Amino acid sequence: MSKSVSNKMGVRRGARAYFANAPLLTLNAMKLPSLVVKTTLEGDFDYIHLFVFTQTEMNEMLLKLKTHLGAAGKLWVSWPKGKQ
């Protein structure tokens, strides 16, 4: 049995999560477990996932997001692969 993307990433059921610029199709493809998803960046998170198109976008958001990452939290950054 193959693992889902979220399982490979170590995303745990019930984790407090925040998604920045996440495409809906991508979220559906990740087959995420049941999460506590917040739409505002307040407090600490177990899992933060940033979706960007440019390095500039990443640099602008990364420091802000890192301050909301819990002690054992995970911060993932995704960008389009290949030619756009």
Side-chain angles (χ1 to χ4, degrees), residues 31-46:
K31 298 182 182 172
L32 293 162
S34 178
L35 301 171
V36 179
V37 178
K38 299 296 181 179
T39 58
T40 57
L41 197 55
E42 296 175 358
D44 289 338
F45 292 88
D46 304 306

Side-chain angles (χ1 to χ4, degrees), residues 5-64:
V5 172
S6 62
N7 193 301
K8 290 177 185 178
M9 293 169 55
V11 180
R12 305 267 188 244
R13 174 180 290 195
R16 190 165 189 268
Y18 179 80
F19 296 93
N21 307 321
L24 185 56
L25 289 174
T26 302
L27 290 179
N28 291 338
M30 290 172 64
K31 298 182 182 172
L32 293 162
S34 178
L35 301 171
V36 179
V37 178
K38 299 296 181 179
T39 58
T40 57
L41 197 55
E42 296 175 358
D44 289 338
F45 292 88
D46 304 306
Y47 170 58
I48 297 174
H49 201 137
L50 171 62
F51 294 82
V52 297
F53 286 97
T54 67
Q55 186 171 356
T56 300
E57 281 181 286
M58 182 183 71
N59 292 339
E60 289 173 357
M61 291 290 297
L62 206 53
L63 289 176
K64 180 179 179 181

